[in-house]
Amino acid sequence: MISSSILEESLKSGRTGVNFPEGLMETGENPLVTVRTGTPIPKALIHQKYGAKALYRTEEVKESVENECPGLVIPQKSKPLYRCCLELPEFSITSDTFTRKKDAEQSAAKMAIEKLGIQPMRNNLTVEEIWDELVSRLSYLFTDEKFLLSSHPLSSHFRAALQREGNLCGSVPISILAACDVKLINLCKSIDLKSELNPYFTISLIMKAARLSGSIRVSEGELWIWRLNPPSSEIMQTYSDINSGSTEHVQMEAILIPNSMEKAVETVTLNISSKEYYLDVIAQKLGVMDCSRVLVSRTVGKASSEMRLYFPAPEDPSLVSDLSLELLSPANETFSQGTSFNVRASYFSGQNIHGDVLLASVGHKWKSPDLYHEDVSLGTYYRMLIGRVPDGNYKLSREAILAADLPITFTTRSNWRGSLPRDLLCMFCRQHRLSEPVFSTESTDTSGPPSQMVKTSKRLKSSKSNEETEIGNGLIDAGNVESGIHSSFGCELKILSKSQDVVIQYSTEDSCRKQSDAIQIASLKVLTWLKKYFKELDMPVEKLSSLGNVHGIYIDAQNFSKEFALCASVHSVPQKMVFRKCSSLGGLPCGDQSDAKQGHGANLFNVEGEDSGISPTTGSLACVSYMVSLSREGKYVGEPLESKDEFEFEIGTGAVIHQLESCVTQMSVNQATRFVTEMPSKDLVLAAAGEAAKDLSPLSLGSIPVTEGCCLEYSVKLLRVTEPLEDRIEQALFNPPLSKQRVEYALRHINESHASTLVDFGCGSGSLLDSLLEHPTALEEIVGVDISRKGLTRAAKIIHSKLSVASDPGMQYASIRSAVLFDGSITDFDSRLYGFDIGTCLEVIEHMQEDQACMFGDVALGMFCPRILIVSTPNYEYNPILQRNSPLNKDEDPEEKSQPQSFKFRNHDHKFEWTREQFNSWASNLASKHNYSVEFGGVGGTAGVEPGFASQIAVFRRNTQHQADECAAKGDPVQPYEVIWEWTNSKSRSAL
Ligand code: SAH
Ligand code: MG
């Protein structure tokens, strides 16, 4: 019946697959009704498969932003946002946030469908039947009078068309049909997938179908379409009634994206009077003849928005008839010859867009006769831009564009702030029109020697992979806890193109205790690598793959360059605006990363406020308030760019720019300071600037030296510190806190043994040494060793202030003659610490790899040879009690709660946690090897009662017949440790 070249082509290629179109969520259809054309919408599909077993839970996400900084106005809207969690028998999935609940639900359903790999049923329509559907859909739209009164967004366009005077009365631009009617869009896509890429091609399909129908008029050579019979007078009457009700003058901001990359984007204002059709106004702005020559992209930006790209139809249609995005590659000849493609706009929509383009958020929504519109500011544009770089969405989700950085490590879910790595990666893939990432996890049960390792779980089928189906395999069952068996997980991650070609592939080692963590870690790894790539987009393909290899990431260079073709042109616009070295304000080195990376050495700077003694350490959560402003020669320029009253991040994971972390770790609660950094990329600055972006817009022109000599100045105040998880649990569940009990345990032994010399191996911030000074002992010489400068600096501060207060005979620590802190590894021997009376090593060995812990045992007993050595470490078997009762678990995610059998380590820095048996065998072997006796005890819990103490402790004693010269190293002057701080009692010195 229908014969056209397009049809034949499609039949040949056999492409009738259907993808969900963007903007589908806007249909507002009853989810349980299958669209007549055979493309069910997401919730309907989920309903078909799961019925009542699919549970939608929608929650409101607070996004309100208050601002307490006086004199500061940061314009930020606060409207309710919704997120939907869809629970299916196999897994649950959470949507992004939307302004409407039902969008969140559809989005969750859509994500689930993608995850399940369900293909919507096409009811096996042939291409011919699809053409029939297309024709009948068009006829319906143009002949059914009731449709004119429906709540479909198109009906407003029909109304506007009927308002037109002269012979264009009733004419509708085909482009609006091709953009607003989901059914038409889907049908066109089923005929030829090219339609998804090329709005102009979709128009040609619709035109063809209109000609095939007898009831619609299409103008030759023009892009109008209209009905043959005008609607009845009643309808016309209703129309004028509706219109008289909704007459409002609209003024809105839009963005002009010039075709030339040389030209910066700029804000334009659209003035739409009550009598005007908004597309006519857009046509005028674009300088085209009439609105039929305005092409309309799919929606870009958030799924719930009406943000679209408007651009002129090509004068020469042959030019666009068979274009694909691949042609946009800079490597392609057509591209280099300078085409009319608008690279930035094409990148945003994933469609072929040409000419100067208007980005506007305007249009008709379902069920509302009023014109919907929203300003698109420069800030919005730049946020969309940075949302497309690998770490951009992290910064956006933290609402801290200038302060946040994508963390380099994933520790725990409860410590992670902002969108999770997996979600960030999924979003990144969606935005770059790749398939959803495929995760397959694999677990290994480890118990005893490595030879007994068993691979227990099979790889999931990639098409149906999902992270939770195998949870059962990932659990440690209660019986296993005692025998020390635990599972660990690895994750294989694949990123495929829309046509299912492998683009990136990566596998982690099987080292995660939780399946979902393995997925997060793999996602973060790939994101981090992508971030590196986006920093150097002109990287040659060979370098790309070899750089990937170094990180264990496989990249298919060809597919990769094809998929990321546009990124180079869009994102490698000169990034740094100003290269001036900032004079540092208050002495914090800026632009010098090497210093901060080492974790110490960033100079102390001018800090305001008393030292409260409470400072963040690795793993703790720091909460700060901050404000970032543009400043020149120490003076602020313009409005602040970004500020937050409360911003929490985990120390040690790189979750913020390094200058901020380096500065915060040197502050204590209630202190404030300022530092400056070089100007980051203009995208970041403008994205952060919000409304202020307008004032800064000359900045985007590059040539106008508004920012010359400018720096970003950060003022920061440390509001509070939340201790690492372990400490919080210990304080919450034990009275006195476990750490205090450990100190008391050590004290008993110190006093019983009348020790006069003590070394604390792994002293950290000196909590033991500090507490010792609170009690009367016979100690004369105390030493601490640690590898963390930060810890040692803090220890030095605390002990120094205590010891220097007074060394009156009345003081508890009057006996102390000297105190020293060494920077060094306790697996190295230093002869200055040979033969001490007592050595303590509390909660340290689990922070080392197991072989290092063994090495420490050998060095301590075989070389340092203290009379007594006290070693404590967590008892893994006690974790169930801690984690079940922990008051902290209430803010943990429900997924973690639903796995009561999986016990994590108490601190993410722990490399292992031993059962009693493991600890006993380590200690007993060590003791017998080095001629020591060993005795076991602990704190928290009761001896002999399952599952033992919370902290298990071994007390080693040198055997009396142990000859001092058995120690291999007694007198050799080996001194690898570095003195960090030293104190000697001046009175005792003068007495000498
Ligand atoms: N003993 C302290 C600190 C425990 S935290 C207390 O009970 O509060 C563990 C400490 O071990 C950290 O400060 C860490 O820096 C230190 N550490 C880890 N490996 C070390 C090594 N090889 N040598 C010295 N210290 C080490
Ligand atoms: Mg510990």
Side-chain angles (χ1 to χ4, degrees), residues 755-776:
S756 67
T757 54
L758 172 141
V759 51
D760 188 20
F761 295 109
C763 62
S765 22
S767 60
L768 173 76
L769 298 175
D770 180 37
S771 319
L772 289 180
L773 301 179
E774 306 280 335
H775 301 271

Side-chain angles (χ1 to χ4, degrees), residues 760 762-764 767 785-788 824-826 842-844 847-848:
D760 188 20
C763 62
S767 60
V785 187
D786 206 288
I787 40 166
S788 157
S825 171
I826 57 172
L842 305 183
E843 308 291 294
V844 174
H847 292 265
M848 310 193 263

Side-chain angles (χ1 to χ4, degrees), residues 27 77 117 155 161 170 200 327 369 416 451 471 568 577 618 650 661 688 719 786 828 848 856 925 944:
T27 57
K77 279 173 217 128
S155 63
Y200 192 74
L327 284 178
W416 185 270
S451 58
I471 287 272
M577 297 292 299
T618 303
E650 184 181 353
E661 173 158 321
L719 303 175
D786 206 288
D828 292 334
M848 310 193 263
F856 163 70
N925 289 338

Side-chain angles (χ1 to χ4, degrees), residues 435-500:
S435 297
E436 289 284 295
V438 176
F439 301 94
S440 8
T441 48
E442 171 167 299
S443 84
T444 312
D445 275 355
T446 50
S447 59
S451 58
Q452 287 174 18
M453 280 190 185
V454 206
K455 296 260 172 195
T456 54
S457 91
K458 303 284 161 299
R459 231 155 249 229
L460 298 171
K461 273 204 218 94
S462 59
S463 62
K464 289 200 177 178
S465 93
N466 70 62
E467 55 183 284
E468 264 92 9
T469 49
E470 284 191 276
I471 287 272
N473 284 333
L475 302 181
I476 307 157
D477 62 39
N480 282 349
V481 169
E482 259 150 62
S483 53
I485 298 177
H486 56 257
S487 301
S488 43
F489 290 92
C491 172
E492 190 197 51
L493 191 172
K494 267 193 209 153
I495 295 180
L496 307 170
S497 69
K498 275 267 186 264
S499 46
Q500 304 302 305

